[in-house]
Amino acid sequence: MTDCDGVILGYYTLSAYAVKAAELPAAITKKLPRYPLLPATMLGRLAIGRDHQGKKLGGLLLMDALYRSWRNTSEVASVGVIAEAYDESAQAFYEHHEFVPFADNPRKLFLAMKTIEKALA
Ligand SMILES: CC(C)(COP(=O)(O)OP(=O)(O)OC[C@H]1O[C@@H](n2cnc3c(N)ncnc32)[C@H](O)[C@@H]1OP(=O)(O)O)[C@@H](O)C(=O)NCCC(=O)NCCS
């Protein structure tokens, strides 16, 4: 994400990922195909420059990442988006946006593609 002069305001990465079904919260796996490994999308490094935080850009950038992740499922399967938060505040940011923490590692969080699809509809 850049401003009109091309200055970088924030960024993120998306990559294909495989998640162990056993690691996901039980409430979520109940609704997913019964395979030990499930295709997912990894959201990495989402950040907004210090001078621009608190201006709704992080939320906007996250929506952009979720939209692109969903759009990609027309060609490549993905049961949801996984984010790895590097600290408690980042974890809170994702939980604020309805990501659910993994039971054994709360810094890793999951948002089901079905939830994303509903939100985008
Ligand atoms: C976390 C981060 C991306 C948020 O971006 P931001 O532009 O400051 O956040 P926004 O202004 O877009 O906030 C969007 C919403 O998230 C909430 N929010 C923002 N930061 C939050 C936090 N740390 N904890 C809980 N909620 C948070 C806001 O209150 C706002 O809620 P609302 O839409 O209901 O009013 C940004 O602060 C950042 O880059 N931090 C450093 C890196 C980081 O932690 N990255 C996370 C991935 S590891």
Side-chain angles (χ1 to χ4, degrees):
M1 176 189 273
T2 58
D3 68 11
C4 51
D5 297 319
V7 175
I8 296 170
L9 303 177
Y11 50 80
Y12 64 80
T13 64
L14 290 176
S15 45
Y17 190 76
V19 60
K20 287 184 188 154
E23 287 179 359
L24 290 171
I28 287 170
T29 43
K30 269 198 290 188
K31 298 174 194 158
L32 296 177
R34 296 192 179 278
Y35 298 117
L37 274 182
L38 296 166
T41 307
M42 172 59 80
L43 168 61
R45 299 167 182 272
L46 188 143
I48 296 294
R50 258 184 230 288
D51 294 348
H52 303 286
Q53 290 177 8
K55 300 176 186 170
K56 303 284 180 196
L57 295 179
L60 205 64
L61 203 55
L62 178 62
M63 291 312 135
D64 183 70
L66 298 180
Y67 170 68
R68 286 172 193 266
S69 303
W70 169 78
R71 195 177 61 180
N72 200 41
T73 60
S74 66
E75 297 193 3
V76 182
S78 169
V79 297
V81 173
I82 290 168
E84 280 188 318
Y86 76 88
D87 64 12
E88 216 168 279
S89 169
Q91 182 186 333
F93 172 75
Y94 287 120
E95 289 190 69
H96 181 79
H97 290 91
E98 295 186 35
F99 278 72
V100 179
F102 282 48
D104 60 345
N105 177 6
R107 291 282 157 84
K108 207 166 165 182
L109 302 102
F110 180 82
L111 187 62
M113 201 56 79
K114 293 260 186 239
T115 308
I116 296 169
E117 192 169 46
K118 270 189 212 154
L120 291 171

